[in-house]
Amino acid sequence: MRAIARDAVRARISEVAVDLFDEHGFDHVTVEQIAAAVGVSPRSVHRYFPAKEDTVIGDPAGWGEHVRDQLVARPSEEPVWEALLASYEALLATPGRNEEQGRKAMRVLGSTPALRARNLEKHLLWARMLTPVVAERLDGDHRDLRAETIVQASLACFDIALTAWAEDDAAESAVALLRRSFGALQPTA
Amino acid sequence: MRAIARDAVRARISEVAVDLFDEHGFDHVTVEQIAAAVGVSPRSVHRYFPAKEDTVIGDPAGWGEHVRDQLVARPSEEPVWEALLASYEALLATPGRNEEQGRKAMRVLGSTPALRARNLEKHLLWARMLTPVVAERLDGDHRDLRAETIVQASLACFDIALTAWAEDDAAESAVALLRRSFGALQPTA
DNA sequence: CCCATTCTGTCAGTCTCTGCCACTTGTGGC
DNA sequence: GCCACAAGTGGCAGAGACTGACAGAATGGG
């Protein structure tokens, strides 16, 4: 009911903010300007997004759960590395992701230290969700440390692929870059 | 001459700040309190550290160069992954690193999102320094993407090892944890 | 139509961080 | 010893992000 309107407003703020950041640079745009452009009060912007950076990042937890659910659904005989790759691919294939808007957001995201940092925090959140699932698939000693290493490495691949995809002007698809990045590493048996 | 005094003051501020953060939590300590505890003005604290978080992180660029120099000094026939491991080990073995102070800093560092974020930014800086060096050691196609993947994965290993070292109460040395984390991954030939 | 819930705007306030200017303090030349 | 000169410091004012509190407006169900 009301949740629909809420999501719509949220998406609108995010869209306007990314456009402004793309044009003028992240730290040359104030929350007040974003609010004025959307037509709401600055206070409301902060109600939808706890921090200015979050207007670009979006909701990390939601997508993280998505990836985790994909991962637990993979067949247990599949090697971890391939299962992780498949889970990220499923995320990229999700509909409702505007191609051009996503690329612009990634470009803005890479342009400012504060944003890159907040984005990497998202990865830590994902890592906490994925590590237990990965640990279950491992044998041998020190499963926790190994699982965390593998998960963080996979997240690094994900990030590298998306960054490269946003910079290179559509030279290659995000999935292709993701596969290649994953191909550069291999967990030890 | 004067640089010595400068470094001393800098170290002193950092030490006091970490202690306060450890006791009261990062965001319950204001810059004003740090300044008062050290005996300088808040304005001066900001002269030494551009951001509050930097009192814990220290100077990333300096250590990053150190790692890079270690890496370029490794024999060229050595596999990249081992060369990277050795470079990080050399960093950990650097004297002048107070064991207990370092562990406390790492603990504080993991306790607050803002600090974790800033720490991850340090990794990006290191990555930009190390990637070209690693790329030179690779053969085949897509060296840049593969080099970046390998470097970021190694930084993840470094971070995981240090975090585990700070949490587990000296159960194992940082170097041992680092080796094990590195052991969980392998670049593909 | 009325009521309760939710949303929004306004206001006041804290904290980080930055420019600016005046003041003090060492440093080197004479 | 004295005097420019640079460097460091403190205080002040201000921008900007973010938070809590409260009052009015919109929306849903009865």
Side-chain angles (χ1 to χ4, degrees):
Chain A
M1 339 291 178
R2 241 152 173 163
I4 305 175
R6 221 187 127 74
D7 288 353
V9 174
R10 205 183 144 85
R12 174 81 185 130
I13 294 174
S14 177
E15 187 186 333
V16 169
V18 170
D19 282 349
L20 286 175
F21 294 155
D22 193 34
E23 189 175 359
H24 303 107
F26 180 76
D27 31 7
H28 290 131
V29 176
T30 68
V31 174
E32 200 175 349
Q33 290 172 307
I34 300 171
V38 178
V40 295
S41 74
R43 188 67 184 85
S44 282
V45 173
H46 276 117
R47 263 191 265 268
Y48 282 95
F49 298 96
K52 191 180 162 189
E53 292 90 349
D54 295 328
T55 57
V56 184
I57 309 289
D59 175 30
W63 298 111
E65 288 170 14
H66 191 263
V67 175
R68 187 198 53 201
D69 293 348
Q70 291 287 330
L71 185 60
V72 298
R74 304 298 305 179
S76 63
E77 66 271 15
E78 187 180 36
V80 231
W81 200 240
E82 291 173 26
L84 281 165
L85 173 58
S87 300
Y88 292 129
E89 282 189 19
L91 179 63
L92 292 180
T94 300
R97 284 180 91 79
N98 184 328
E99 182 87 351
E100 199 43 50
Q101 187 70 16
R103 181 176 257 128
K104 188 186 282 184
M106 278 302 298
R107 212 174 333 122
V108 170
L109 203 152
S111 69
T112 304
L115 280 173
R116 283 196 298 266
R118 192 75 84 164
N119 188 44
L120 291 173
E121 267 211 77
K122 174 186 74 178
H123 286 192
L124 286 182
L125 184 64
W126 289 18
R128 272 194 289 278
M129 298 197 230
L130 297 179
T131 300
V133 182
V134 168
E136 287 219 359
R137 283 171 172 262
L138 296 180
D139 301 323
D141 291 337
H142 312 299
R143 289 198 305 200
D144 283 354
L145 189 79
R146 285 164 54 217
E148 198 170 347
T149 304
I150 292 169
V151 167
Q152 297 242 28
S154 74
L155 284 166
C157 291
F158 183 68
D159 199 46
I160 289 167
L162 279 189
T163 303
W165 170 73
E167 286 172 0
D168 299 355
D169 279 328
E172 269 180 298
S173 76
V175 172
L177 289 164
L178 183 64
R179 287 194 182 137
R180 189 175 307 145
S181 186
F182 261 74
L185 288 174
Q186 194 69 40
T188 58
Chain B
M1 336 292 175
R2 245 153 170 164
I4 305 175
R6 222 186 127 73
D7 287 353
V9 174
R10 204 183 143 86
R12 175 81 185 130
I13 294 174
S14 177
E15 188 186 331
V16 170
V18 169
D19 282 349
L20 286 175
F21 294 155
D22 193 34
E23 190 176 357
H24 303 107
F26 180 75
D27 29 9
H28 291 132
V29 177
T30 67
V31 175
E32 198 176 350
Q33 289 173 308
I34 300 171
V38 178
V40 295
S41 73
R43 188 69 187 84
S44 281
V45 173
H46 277 117
R47 264 192 263 268
Y48 282 94
F49 298 96
K52 189 180 164 190
E53 292 89 351
D54 295 329
T55 57
V56 183
I57 309 290
D59 176 29
W63 298 112
E65 287 170 16
H66 191 264
V67 175
R68 187 199 52 202
D69 293 348
Q70 290 288 330
L71 185 59
V72 298
R74 304 296 306 179
S76 63
E77 66 272 16
E78 187 178 36
V80 230
W81 199 240
E82 289 173 26
L84 281 164
L85 173 57
S87 301
Y88 292 128
E89 282 188 19
L91 179 62
L92 293 180
T94 302
R97 283 178 91 79
N98 184 329
E99 182 87 353
E100 198 43 51
Q101 188 71 13
R103 182 175 256 127
K104 187 186 282 185
M106 276 303 296
R107 214 175 330 122
V108 170
L109 203 153
S111 68
T112 302
L115 282 172
R116 283 195 299 265
R118 193 74 86 165
N119 187 46
L120 291 173
E121 268 210 75
K122 175 186 75 179
H123 285 192
L124 286 182
L125 184 65
W126 288 19
R128 273 194 288 278
M129 296 197 234
L130 297 178
T131 300
V133 182
V134 168
E136 287 220 0
R137 286 172 172 259
L138 296 180
D139 300 322
D141 291 337
H142 312 299
R143 289 198 305 201
D144 283 354
L145 189 79
R146 284 163 55 216
E148 199 170 345
T149 303
I150 290 169
V151 167
Q152 297 245 26
S154 75
L155 284 166
C157 289
F158 183 68
D159 198 47
I160 289 168
L162 281 190
T163 303
W165 169 73
E167 286 172 359
D168 300 355
D169 280 328
E172 268 180 297
S173 76
V175 173
L177 289 165
L178 183 65
R179 287 191 182 141
R180 189 174 308 145
S181 187
F182 262 75
L185 287 174
Q186 194 68 40
T188 56

